[in-house]
Amino acid sequence: MQQSAQASAVSKSADEPAAASDPNRQRRRERLLQLGTLVLLLAVWEFAARDANKLLVAVPSDIAVATWELLLNGELFSATIDSMSTFVLGFIIASVIGIVIGFAMGTNRTVEVILDPYINALYAMPLVALIPILMLWVGIGFLAKITIIILFAVFPVIINTVTGVKNVDRHYLDIGKAFMASRLMVYRKIIAPYALPYVASGLRIALGRGIIAMIVAEFLTSISGLGGLIINYTNAFETAKAFAPVLVVALLANALTILVQKVEERFGRWRRR
Amino acid sequence: MPKLSVRNLTKRFPVSGGPSMTALDGVDLDVEEGEFVAFVGPSGCGKTTLLRIIQGLETATSGEILIDGKPVTGPGHDRGFVFQQYGLLPWLTAAQNIGFALEAKGIPPNRQGETTERVLATVGLKGFGDRFPHQLSGGMQQRVGIARALAIEPEIMLLDEPFGALDALTREILQNEMLGLTERMGKTILFVTHSVDEAVCLADRVVVMSPRPGRIREIVPIDIPRPRASLGEALRDTPEYVAKRHQLWTQLMDLV
């Protein structure tokens, strides 16, 4: 019985080569492959680390238990809220500042000439070096964390916005000129939609840098949030518990990237797929 | 008084590390109200540059443009321009592209609907208003471009090789529609084209231009009686059409 079912399944897939190229099925197979690799990886980890010193190395099963504990006592939740509220506010401020400065630089040569060297220098330099000095000025509280996140996130937004704005196709600007569109209309209906994909990729880079900034800030300024949990549990040699916030950060970073992509797609409906 | 006059127009482009390039050299032309003038000539004869200067997209080095005897220095709602390619904003639907021109003319969005519907119907695109450009064929995109120019009710229409990027069949269909449209509306039209057939088919006069520097070589009147649209395909078999086409080809051949 089982044999015949297997045989028919085989002959079916051989009869229908179209089934293999069915995109849904293809995607399911790829997801399954990824899931399988993950399970294998965790199993190897669990097996290889089972005799290691528990103070130094945590195994996946211990991490799962620790994460569950931190979820139940609310510690993970409140740390996530703490980190995310700081991050989201910082990211939004960085995005707005970045887009405004990027637009100004992209449309006004004078502004670009003045700001360009500083923007490039700050983007390229390791901003962590500035954090101690920054703490002298703004302390170690909420303001310090927001400032660090903005500092890390703002430059890729500026640089990508400038690129998008400056690259606007001359043909499209000619349409505005020929029909005597106002400057505001040219900004709103030609330059902004054209620059949008550039801005979006700037936001994606800013997201990654902003998350790094959030964790670094929580390590170096007042210990708090998800970064604080990592530091505190590592210092207490509760290694399994230190992994839980790491997991949350990884998941959040991925979720936020997908969110930005969705927003980008929503505004890019006009594009050919 | 002519509707449009071009007076001793010269346009020079700077060339890095060399003498400037003269795109147009002392061009003089009068266009009467309701006249259809086509411009033909080899690449580099300045026909597109001339059209862009008349629209105000570029400035002349010297000389002037007069509309109804008054000099014009920049773009204006009295002229409607149809671009060759990339003429539509790809992130706006057909109706929004037309709305762009209307809004630029100062007509608020809530009063655009009727005009948009009307011009879309005029070019045979009733019901296509909510399509994005990439959802329309090349021919349909050009119709939207024409509809947008019509929407602002210009006195003069300027078309820069509007059918240049289309396949032969679509091109001929649009030529015939253009013929019907212009004969119904009687607007003053300036039309740049690579195609001698298109010029003879549509125009009252064909301006032949020569390159380097761009000058008017000859102005050929096309006296095929109007309305020509009703002739359909037979238009291209009339002795006048054949003769003018031959005459223009001979002249163009001498230029290359």
Side-chain angles (χ1 to χ4, degrees):
Chain A
M1 186 67 194
Q2 205 185 355
Q3 233 172 13
S4 76
Q6 222 167 39
S8 84
V10 168
S11 75
K12 198 179 174 196
S13 70
D15 284 348
E16 292 173 34
S21 60
D22 174 15
N24 271 327
R25 204 160 156 172
Q26 175 85 9
R27 210 172 306 134
R28 232 175 302 140
R29 257 212 342 236
E30 287 172 357
R31 289 287 163 277
L32 220 61
L33 193 66
Q34 289 168 336
L35 205 69
T37 313
L38 179 68
V39 169
L40 188 71
L41 210 67
L42 290 174
V44 169
W45 181 357
E46 183 86 39
F47 180 77
R50 74 191 187 286
D51 293 329
N53 185 342
K54 289 247 174 198
L55 292 181
L56 301 179
V57 185
V59 293
S61 57
D62 287 345
I63 295 170
V65 171
T67 307
W68 183 243
E69 268 176 48
L70 292 180
L71 273 176
L72 284 185
N73 70 15
E75 216 175 321
L76 205 52
F77 184 72
S78 65
T80 304
I81 293 295
D82 185 3
S83 289
M84 273 303 109
S85 53
T86 320
F87 172 79
V88 169
L89 186 62
F91 181 71
I92 289 172
I93 294 174
S95 305
V96 172
I97 294 176
I99 291 169
V100 168
I101 294 182
F103 245 79
M105 285 174 71
T107 50
N108 186 321
R109 181 72 187 148
T110 312
V111 177
E112 193 196 0
V113 168
I114 292 171
L115 292 182
D116 196 50
Y118 303 102
I119 304 284
N120 280 321
L122 283 167
Y123 186 44
M125 84 172 276
L127 292 167
V128 183
L130 283 180
I131 291 179
I133 304 169
L134 213 63
M135 281 158 69
L136 283 179
W137 297 338
V138 293
I140 59 167
F142 181 70
L143 185 62
K145 293 189 171 81
I146 289 278
T147 312
I148 292 166
I149 292 169
I150 294 172
L151 203 59
F152 270 64
V154 77
F155 297 108
V157 182
I158 296 177
I159 288 171
N160 276 272
T161 306
V162 173
T163 309
V165 168
K166 284 181 71 175
N167 266 332
V168 177
D169 200 315
R170 194 179 53 85
H171 293 101
Y172 299 142
L173 294 175
D174 271 353
I175 299 172
K177 199 171 174 187
F179 289 96
M180 293 182 77
S182 66
R183 185 184 275 251
L184 185 69
M185 262 188 87
V186 172
Y187 281 167
R188 265 178 47 231
K189 302 223 159 157
I190 300 177
I191 297 177
Y194 188 92
L196 185 86
Y198 293 83
V199 176
S201 68
L203 291 179
R204 275 203 303 273
I205 302 168
L207 203 69
R209 286 171 58 104
I211 298 265
I212 294 173
M214 175 190 85
I215 295 293
V216 168
E218 285 166 350
F219 283 178
L220 296 182
T221 63
S222 68
I223 309 277
S224 69
L226 292 165
L229 285 188
I230 297 171
I231 287 278
N232 287 334
Y233 282 120
T234 310
N235 287 346
F237 291 104
E238 292 194 65
T239 320
K241 281 185 177 167
F243 267 99
V246 173
L247 218 63
V248 174
V249 171
L251 288 175
L252 279 174
N254 275 301
L256 287 168
T257 305
I258 291 169
L259 187 74
V260 170
Q261 265 164 4
K262 290 285 174 226
V263 171
E264 187 187 352
E265 275 166 26
R266 168 69 188 74
F267 284 106
R269 266 181 315 153
W270 54 270
R271 232 170 288 129
R272 220 182 289 264
R273 269 189 299 277
Chain B
M1 197 203 318
K3 183 73 191 167
L4 173 90
S5 297
V6 179
R7 292 266 173 273
N8 198 21
L9 199 78
T10 296
K11 173 71 176 176
R12 275 188 283 273
F13 289 109
V15 176
S16 59
S20 64
M21 196 266 288
T22 307
L24 291 169
D25 186 29
V27 171
D28 278 295
L29 180 71
D30 282 337
V31 178
E32 296 302 324
E33 172 118 45
E35 199 181 11
F36 193 127
V37 177
F39 297 82
V40 297
S43 299
C45 71
K47 53 193 192 297
T48 289
T49 306
L50 176 60
L51 207 67
R52 287 173 62 86
I53 291 173
I54 296 173
Q55 176 63 35
L57 289 171
E58 276 167 45
T59 51
T61 310
S62 67
E64 61 180 351
I65 308 283
L66 306 170
I67 292 178
D68 295 325
K70 289 188 282 286
V72 291
T73 49
H77 298 302
D78 53 351
R79 281 150 289 157
F81 202 92
V82 179
F83 294 88
Q84 178 183 10
Q85 257 183 308
Y86 312 106
L88 301 178
L89 298 170
W91 42 84
L92 300 182
T93 63
Q96 286 169 338
N97 265 287
I98 295 166
F100 179 88
L102 291 171
E103 191 183 335
K105 202 190 171 188
I107 299 165
N110 56 1
R111 297 219 324 261
Q112 292 172 1
E114 198 190 316
T115 309
T116 306
E117 290 299 310
R118 178 169 51 79
V119 292
L120 277 172
T122 306
V123 298
L125 286 181
K126 203 173 163 66
F128 285 91
D130 58 354
R131 301 287 182 90
F132 284 99
H134 79 266
Q135 297 170 316
L136 300 170
S137 68
M140 290 162 111
Q141 290 180 28
Q142 283 311 76
R143 288 174 212 231
V144 176
I146 293 168
R148 179 179 56 191
L150 288 173
I152 61 168
E153 289 169 0
E155 291 164 37
I156 303 173
M157 292 263 284
L158 305 153
L159 299 95
D160 181 16
E161 293 186 42
F163 310 143
L166 305 177
D167 65 89
L169 185 64
T170 311
R171 187 176 186 134
E172 201 154 304
I173 292 169
L174 279 178
Q175 282 169 16
N176 290 340
E177 285 179 11
M178 187 77 202
L179 200 54
L181 197 68
T182 54
E183 288 181 342
R184 278 203 308 280
M185 294 193 303
K187 277 196 198 299
T188 310
I189 294 173
L190 277 66
F191 190 101
V192 166
T193 177
H194 267 306
S195 155
V196 168
D197 295 73
E198 200 162 273
V200 177
C201 190
L202 296 172
D204 296 310
R205 284 192 294 159
V206 177
V207 176
V208 181
M209 296 182 71
S210 61
R212 285 174 290 276
R215 287 189 180 129
I216 292 181
R217 177 56 65 98
E218 179 126 26
I219 299 180
V220 179
I222 310 290
D223 17 288
I224 307 172
R226 290 189 187 272
R228 302 173 191 167
S230 53
L231 290 175
E233 196 44 42
L235 169 64
R236 290 171 174 81
D237 296 327
T238 58
E240 294 96 325
Y241 179 92
V242 176
K244 290 294 181 188
R245 187 180 174 281
H246 180 74
Q247 182 190 345
L248 283 165
W249 260 120
T250 319
Q251 271 162 349
L252 282 172
M253 283 311 207
D254 287 344
L255 294 175
V256 268

